[in-house]
Amino acid sequence: EAAREGLRWKCFDPASLEDAEWTMSLLSRLDYALETGQLWVAYQPKLDCVTGVTVGAEALVRWTHPEKGNIFPDQFIGAAERSGRIAELTRFVLEDAVSTASDINSSGRRFSIAVNLSATLLVGDAIVVMVRETIRRLRFPPELLILEITETSTLRSGTEAEDILRELSQIGVQLSIDDYGTGFSTLEYLKRVPASEIKIDRTFISMLHRSQSDRIMVNSTIQLAHSLSRKVVAEGVENAEILDELIWMGCDMVQGYHTARPMPKWALRGFLETSGTE
Ligand code: C2E
Ligand code: CA
Ligand code: CA
Ligand code: CA
């Protein structure tokens, strides 16, 4: 399965996604994919920088199409958002993620699980109901569920989205600002959103060992986040040099190919057995 992640170039050509016809057929296939189990969830371990312990994982949706092969989320999340199918897709991922973490925690662990939430879901009360209902039904400790939200202009202050984020945080789940540094009005957003964590975007991390300006930006972002009592996760950590830099800078957690690629849940269990435990 790890090899699959390395074979992205073999996937269906995203350029043809510009094609409206493909988008339409993709959407009807997406419904079918949900029904027939072509959609599944990969989990990428997230490690504590100080202890090296795997503290949680991020759920990343995967689509294994019988003819087209693996279709990666960047190729269908946008279309799912525009067509309204994202709610159903998110329900599927959330369910799989929370039950996977529940199983892991049944042996006394405190493993957290992160699920990506599209900003388009931050209208109405459906998402709040969905999250509350899922954690209640599966008896999952809310503080172990992390919802990752990418900063976008829809999250301007005084919007409904802002109220929904507050409601979600009142349920007791954690919020995480995804792709930090690439979006809209970063500093203002950090101050306002009740997030316990930020994830520094991969574009600032991947060249950390070579770029002095990236080092300066990442280091000061970590200091800033810490002074606001936010935890910092670095995504896209691809080698030991980058990991060492991040540890030295006081980053809290890391995710990336260096430690583990996204994997199916059965492989995650194996990973947890062989990697450091508490
Ligand atoms: P993201 O949330 O920023 O997720 C991180 C992406 O970086 C994932 O791509 C992951 O496989 C990849 N990655 C992890 N470590 C490394 C590394 O060391 N190097 C490199 N080059 N890449 C790494 P993936 O799985 O293809 O997902 C792409 C995006 O699709 C995600 O970006 C997220 O925005 C979206 N996505 C994935 N699953 C879901 C979902 O269930 N719901 C929603 N709304 N969006 C999702
Ligand atoms: Ca994410
Ligand atoms: Ca990201
Ligand atoms: Ca993203």
XYZ file of all heavy atoms in Angstrom, residues 5 8 44 58-62 72-74 77 81 86 89-90 93 116-118 148 178-179 202 235-238 255-258 262, ligand 1:
317
model
N 1.258 4.973 -2.763
C 1.446 6.404 -2.541
C 2.590 6.951 -3.386
O 2.618 8.112 -3.717
C 1.724 6.695 -1.069
C 0.569 6.403 -0.159
C -0.545 7.418 -0.293
O -0.275 8.576 -0.658
O -1.704 7.023 -0.037
N 1.889 8.073 -7.666
C 0.917 9.112 -8.001
C 0.899 9.426 -9.482
O -0.132 9.683 -10.051
C 1.232 10.404 -7.247
C 0.914 10.344 -5.798
C 1.178 11.704 -5.196
N 0.009 12.534 -5.361
C -0.733 12.952 -4.350
N -0.400 12.646 -3.130
N -1.788 13.687 -4.552
N -2.450 8.624 8.070
C -1.034 8.983 8.170
C -0.680 9.322 9.619
O -1.231 10.250 10.207
C -0.686 10.185 7.282
C 0.834 10.435 7.294
C 1.276 11.554 6.372
O 0.569 12.545 6.213
N 2.438 11.383 5.769
N -3.919 11.283 10.677
C -4.848 12.065 9.864
C -5.536 11.129 8.877
O -4.880 10.310 8.229
C -4.109 13.162 9.091
C -5.036 13.962 8.156
C -4.342 15.101 7.418
O -3.109 15.250 7.531
O -5.056 15.840 6.704
N -6.847 11.265 8.773
C -7.628 10.474 7.822
C -7.609 11.167 6.464
O -7.923 12.355 6.363
C -9.064 10.347 8.330
N -7.221 10.412 5.431
C -7.148 10.971 4.073
C -7.924 10.052 3.137
O -7.616 8.861 3.032
C -5.685 11.092 3.644
C -4.849 12.100 4.450
C -3.363 11.788 4.339
C -5.140 13.537 4.012
N -8.922 10.591 2.472
C -9.783 9.754 1.647
C -9.049 9.257 0.402
O -8.194 9.959 -0.158
C -11.096 10.503 1.304
C -10.860 11.630 0.323
C -12.163 9.542 0.799
N -9.353 8.038 -0.004
C -8.761 7.427 -1.198
C -9.863 6.817 -2.043
O -10.844 6.306 -1.519
C -7.779 6.310 -0.793
C -6.545 6.822 -0.054
C -5.623 7.540 -1.018
N -4.440 8.102 -0.410
C -4.346 9.343 0.047
N -5.391 10.147 0.013
N -3.207 9.800 0.534
N -6.751 10.508 -6.617
C -6.397 11.177 -5.366
C -7.362 12.321 -5.042
O -8.008 12.854 -5.940
C -4.935 11.633 -5.409
C -3.996 10.508 -5.056
C -3.590 9.590 -6.006
C -3.575 10.345 -3.746
C -2.762 8.525 -5.671
C -2.751 9.283 -3.400
C -2.338 8.374 -4.358
N -7.468 12.661 -3.765
C -8.485 13.627 -3.333
C -8.436 14.976 -4.058
O -9.487 15.569 -4.306
C -8.244 13.803 -1.833
C -7.060 13.004 -1.487
C -6.757 12.086 -2.600
N -7.227 15.440 -4.385
C -7.147 16.729 -5.080
C -7.941 16.707 -6.384
O -8.314 17.740 -6.911
C -5.688 17.087 -5.384
C -4.927 17.482 -4.123
O -5.587 17.909 -3.154
O -3.691 17.351 -4.113
N -12.188 16.246 -4.593
C -12.768 16.974 -3.453
C -13.462 18.260 -3.927
O -14.572 18.569 -3.499
C -11.695 17.299 -2.381
C -11.226 16.018 -1.688
C -12.212 18.308 -1.353
C -12.228 15.357 -0.769
N -17.301 19.191 -3.429
C -17.730 20.402 -2.712
C -18.760 21.173 -3.527
O -19.803 21.573 -3.015
C -16.526 21.316 -2.432
C -15.621 20.803 -1.349
C -14.353 21.636 -1.166
O -14.087 22.538 -1.996
O -13.632 21.382 -0.207
N -20.028 16.569 -0.743
C -18.969 16.560 0.260
C -19.487 16.164 1.651
O -18.769 15.550 2.431
C -18.229 17.930 0.288
C -16.951 17.865 1.134
C -19.126 19.065 0.762
C -15.846 17.061 0.529
N -19.559 12.416 1.763
C -18.189 11.923 1.776
C -17.556 12.125 3.161
O -16.879 11.241 3.689
C -17.392 12.657 0.696
C -15.972 12.186 0.433
C -15.650 12.326 -1.055
C -14.954 12.988 1.214
N -17.807 13.286 3.748
C -17.243 13.590 5.060
C -17.836 12.673 6.132
O -17.130 12.218 7.030
C -17.488 15.071 5.412
O -16.905 15.871 4.378
C -16.872 15.449 6.746
N -15.945 9.427 5.892
C -14.585 9.515 6.428
C -14.608 9.629 7.959
O -13.865 8.936 8.665
C -13.813 10.712 5.809
C -12.437 10.881 6.458
C -13.659 10.531 4.294
N -10.315 15.995 7.789
C -10.351 17.253 7.035
C -11.792 17.693 6.820
O -12.638 16.903 6.417
C -9.666 17.083 5.687
C -8.173 16.901 5.843
O -7.450 17.861 6.101
N -7.699 15.680 5.719
N -12.035 18.956 7.081
C -13.380 19.503 6.927
C -13.346 20.625 5.890
O -12.618 21.591 6.060
C -13.800 20.080 8.281
C -15.250 19.937 8.680
C -15.579 18.464 8.862
C -15.479 20.670 9.992
N -14.119 20.463 4.831
C -14.187 21.528 3.829
C -14.901 22.746 4.403
O -15.888 22.599 5.113
C -14.989 21.061 2.621
O -14.296 20.060 1.958
N -9.651 19.421 10.902
C -8.691 20.293 10.213
C -9.421 21.167 9.210
O -10.133 20.670 8.339
C -7.631 19.447 9.498
C -6.805 18.605 10.460
C -5.581 17.968 9.812
O -5.368 18.153 8.595
O -4.826 17.285 10.531
N -5.362 24.129 8.989
C -4.593 23.362 8.006
C -3.912 24.299 7.003
O -4.367 25.429 6.801
C -5.572 22.441 7.249
C -4.908 21.178 6.726
O -3.675 21.074 6.782
O -5.653 20.293 6.258
N -2.850 23.828 6.378
C -2.141 24.585 5.343
C -1.773 25.982 5.836
O -1.828 26.958 5.078
C -2.994 24.710 4.072
C -3.355 23.363 3.478
O -2.714 22.365 3.840
O -4.271 23.304 2.648
N 3.157 22.309 4.000
C 4.278 21.564 3.432
C 5.230 22.432 2.599
O 6.422 22.187 2.554
C 3.631 20.478 2.587
C 4.482 19.609 1.857
C 3.726 18.388 1.395
N 3.156 18.518 0.074
C 1.921 18.147 -0.234
N 1.125 17.689 0.693
N 1.490 18.261 -1.454
N 3.750 19.525 8.485
C 3.371 18.474 7.537
C 4.403 18.398 6.417
O 5.115 19.358 6.156
C 1.954 18.699 6.986
C 1.752 20.003 6.250
C 0.377 20.111 5.567
O -0.615 19.572 6.085
O 0.317 20.765 4.515
N 4.491 17.245 5.797
C 5.416 17.080 4.674
C 6.866 16.954 5.087
O 7.765 17.407 4.371
N 7.124 16.333 6.235
C 8.500 16.119 6.679
C 9.050 14.903 5.933
O 8.608 13.780 6.135
C 8.550 15.891 8.213
C 9.966 15.595 8.678
C 7.978 17.108 8.932
N 9.978 15.174 5.028
C 10.423 14.106 4.129
C 11.800 13.536 4.438
O 12.194 12.548 3.838
C 10.369 14.595 2.668
C 8.945 14.823 2.206
C 8.836 15.141 0.720
O 9.872 15.282 0.053
O 7.680 15.247 0.243
N 4.410 15.155 10.726
C 3.744 14.205 9.849
C 4.513 14.248 8.537
O 4.905 15.324 8.098
C 2.330 14.739 9.611
C 1.213 13.746 9.737
C -0.110 14.403 9.421
O -0.560 15.272 10.163
N -0.716 14.013 8.316
N 4.716 13.121 7.912
C 5.404 13.168 6.625
C 5.958 11.825 6.214
O 5.992 10.883 7.004
N 6.378 11.762 4.957
C 6.868 10.519 4.389
C 8.081 9.979 5.150
O 8.331 8.783 5.145
C 7.236 10.706 2.907
C 6.066 11.013 1.997
C 6.276 11.430 0.684
C 4.750 10.866 2.449
C 5.216 11.701 -0.166
C 3.677 11.138 1.601
C 3.915 11.565 0.303
O 2.875 11.824 -0.538
N 8.851 10.883 5.789
C 10.024 10.414 6.528
C 9.642 9.429 7.630
O 10.312 8.430 7.833
C 10.786 11.597 7.132
C 11.955 11.173 7.976
N 13.047 10.516 7.448
C 12.189 11.271 9.316
C 13.903 10.248 8.421
N 13.397 10.687 9.556
N 0.703 7.763 4.291
C -0.677 7.359 4.583
C -0.828 5.862 4.269
O -0.243 5.377 3.294
C -1.496 8.216 3.610
C -0.620 9.383 3.284
C 0.775 8.832 3.282
P -3.891 18.023 3.325
O -4.992 18.033 4.311
O -2.919 19.149 3.382
O -3.169 16.614 3.491
C -1.791 16.400 3.393
C -1.418 15.832 2.039
O 0.000 15.710 1.963
C -1.971 14.448 1.776
O -2.239 14.339 0.389
C -0.785 13.554 2.159
O -0.827 12.286 1.543
C 0.363 14.385 1.651
N 1.630 14.123 2.354
C 1.819 13.659 3.592
N 3.126 13.605 3.903
C 3.800 14.066 2.824
C 5.199 14.259 2.525
O 6.094 13.998 3.324
N 5.476 14.778 1.291
C 4.523 15.067 0.383
N 4.909 15.540 -0.796
N 3.204 14.898 0.636
C 2.855 14.407 1.841
P -3.572 13.667 -0.142
O -3.912 12.500 0.712
O -3.430 13.449 -1.619
O -4.671 14.765 0.117
C -4.672 16.000 -0.554
C -5.664 16.957 0.033
O -7.006 16.491 -0.178
C -5.536 17.114 1.542
O -4.487 17.994 1.831
C -6.898 17.643 1.892
O -6.958 19.026 1.687
C -7.794 16.934 0.880
N -8.468 15.795 1.539
C -8.033 14.536 1.750
N -8.965 13.781 2.382
C -10.022 14.605 2.582
C -11.306 14.440 3.186
O -11.676 13.370 3.716
N -12.130 15.541 3.198
C -11.746 16.736 2.668
N -12.616 17.760 2.725
N -10.558 16.927 2.103
C -9.705 15.881 2.053
